[in-house]
Amino acid sequence: MAPSDDTFMRRAIELSRIHMAAGAGGPFGAVIVRDGAIIGEGWNQVTSTMDPTAHAEVVAIRDACRRTGSFSLAGAVLHTSCEPCPMCLAATYWARIELIHYGNAAADAAAIGFDDQFLYQELALPIAGRSLPMKRLLQAEAIVPFQEWAAKPDKVAY
């Protein structure tokens, strides 16, 4: 009998507890499953690796892609101890994961100091209205590699 979704979620929760207690980062864990087997695991490593992108889901995606030798995780399911933040949710879409199971809600994370609401609000604003200034430079030069990519016959589309 194949392990259940509850079994995989318990593993994500276990990873969050073990590595949070060990000082790796915040209390977040994730596993990626395909065909009834774990193909990637991750836990929050922001403070231990000094990498603000080392959230559990991103680490699990990187692990799964490394293990499978593919940038596409089509057909996979993400089990994560908490509803993904905007960055992790975007990474999940980019990885083509087909389903997310999560334990804690964003409100639960906000209650312990991990509030993503500001990011959701910022992303909904036009560029000029965001608190992080953005200025476009050298568009005529920047477009050249895009044009070369569009014409490249041997590109690997993703």
Side-chain angles (χ1 to χ4, degrees):
M1 174 185 254
S4 69
D5 288 327
D6 287 356
T7 299
F8 297 126
M9 182 58 77
R10 283 189 180 100
R11 176 65 179 156
I13 294 166
E14 177 183 39
L15 289 169
S16 76
R17 292 185 76 216
I18 290 169
H19 295 286
M20 178 267 306
F28 304 96
V31 299
I32 298 174
V33 176
R34 187 163 52 197
D35 299 325
I38 293 175
I39 60 170
E41 292 188 332
W43 51 90
N44 185 283
Q45 298 174 30
V46 170
T47 58
S48 60
T49 64
M50 303 305 163
D51 178 355
T53 69
H55 290 199
E57 297 90 343
V58 171
V59 172
I61 288 168
R62 291 173 181 163
D63 185 42
C65 289
R66 192 171 30 256
R67 288 192 204 187
T68 63
S70 177
F71 57 81
S72 174
L73 300 176
V77 177
L78 170 65
H79 294 75
T80 180
S81 64
C82 187
E83 183 179 351
C85 75
M87 175 185 69
C88 294
L89 184 59
T92 303
Y93 276 101
W94 279 114
R96 295 177 178 81
I97 290 171
E98 71 177 33
L99 176 64
I100 299 172
H101 292 292
Y102 64 96
N104 295 306
D108 300 318
I112 61 165
F114 295 95
D115 192 355
D116 299 328
Q117 191 57 42
F118 170 75
L119 295 174
Y120 283 109
Q121 290 169 345
E122 284 284 301
L123 291 172
L125 295 173
I127 288 174
R130 295 179 186 162
S131 65
L132 178 62
M134 293 176 65
K135 182 178 178 183
R136 190 172 186 184
L137 297 174
L138 302 176
Q139 191 276 332
E141 293 176 38
I143 198 68
V144 174
F146 277 27
Q147 293 166 336
E148 292 168 350
W149 172 261
K152 186 174 172 45
D154 62 341
K155 67 183 168 230
V156 176
Y158 60 97

